[in-house]
Amino acid sequence: MFWPSFNSVLIDVGYKSVTIYNTYFAIASSTVAAFALSVATNKDGKFSMTQIHNATLAGGVAIGFSASSIQQPWIAITLGLMAGSISTLGSVFLQKCLNTYLRIHDTCGVHSTFGLPSLLGGVAHIILTIADHWGSSNQSHWGYMALMELGALSLSIVLSLVAGLVTGFLLISKLWKAPHVTKYFDDQAYWEFPHLAIGY
């Protein structure tokens, strides 16, 4: 798996090994949470490979921002467990609400694989920044840093919502020759089929 190298590519050499270990801990614990919750949320008690695949990556996504600053492995493991749980539960319960009430269909599970775990990772990084420097002589500096991180997280959320809304409006506009709703999952509008060609 290439996620530890992805998280550690821009980290200073002194913190690379910590980043790689923390990423492995988070991915392993999110995998455990994914398997446990996949069985628990399935009415037949079976594994859902889509949920497991998405939630396995969720640990690496959640720890990506704070992997180099975590000094104890239990924090990385806890963050991975929370990310795997949020990802699995989000794909089971939240996806139904998004489909039913907002008419948003997440075909690839991007929201539960990257959206929710990255939100968790951003909040966790802010909490870890405050907790690591609690009681230091320069609390105003670290408070300012925590507020800047909160602002960056808020800006990321706003930009993703605006970009998603613009994309959604472009896709449902009349600029494109979109098929009728009943033909959304019919491939004949987009592909040529040899058996339908004349002369076969």
Side-chain angles (χ1 to χ4, degrees), residues 39 42 97 104 140 143 157 167 172 191:
V39 169
N42 192 327
C97 295
I104 298 174
S140 63
I157 292 170
T167 304
I172 62 172
W191 297 93

Side-chain angles (χ1 to χ4, degrees), residues 91-142:
S91 67
V92 172
F93 299 111
L94 192 59
Q95 186 63 39
K96 293 176 185 173
C97 295
L98 291 175
N99 284 342
T100 306
Y101 300 114
L102 298 177
R103 293 181 17 194
I104 298 174
H105 184 67
D106 187 9
T107 56
C108 297
V110 173
H111 185 255
S112 59
T113 304
F114 298 101
L116 296 174
S118 63
L119 182 63
L120 171 70
V123 171
H125 184 70
I126 294 168
I127 292 171
L128 288 171
T129 300
I130 293 170
D132 285 345
H133 300 94
W134 191 262
S136 68
S137 61
N138 199 0
Q139 277 189 332
S140 63
H141 170 72
W142 292 109

Side-chain angles (χ1 to χ4, degrees), residues 8-27:
S8 65
V9 70
L10 297 176
I11 303 296
D12 291 336
V13 176
Y15 296 104
K16 266 195 194 296
S17 61
V18 172
T19 303
I20 291 170
Y21 294 143
N22 284 334
T23 305
Y24 274 123
F25 291 145
I27 289 173

Side-chain angles (χ1 to χ4, degrees), residues 132-199:
D132 285 345
H133 300 94
W134 191 262
S136 68
S137 61
N138 199 0
Q139 277 189 332
S140 63
H141 170 72
W142 292 109
Y144 176 75
M145 292 302 294
L147 283 175
M148 291 298 288
E149 308 245 352
L150 181 64
L153 178 65
S154 302
L155 180 64
S156 297
I157 292 170
V158 167
L159 286 176
S160 65
L161 287 173
V162 168
L165 285 172
V166 168
T167 304
F169 284 130
L170 283 175
L171 289 175
I172 62 172
S173 70
K174 301 297 181 189
L175 291 172
W176 317 109
K177 293 182 179 179
H180 192 265
V181 176
T182 58
K183 302 227 181 223
Y184 275 170
F185 299 102
D186 185 11
D187 290 337
Q188 290 182 3
Y190 303 104
W191 297 93
E192 289 183 11
F193 292 95
H195 69 279
L196 296 177
I198 299 173

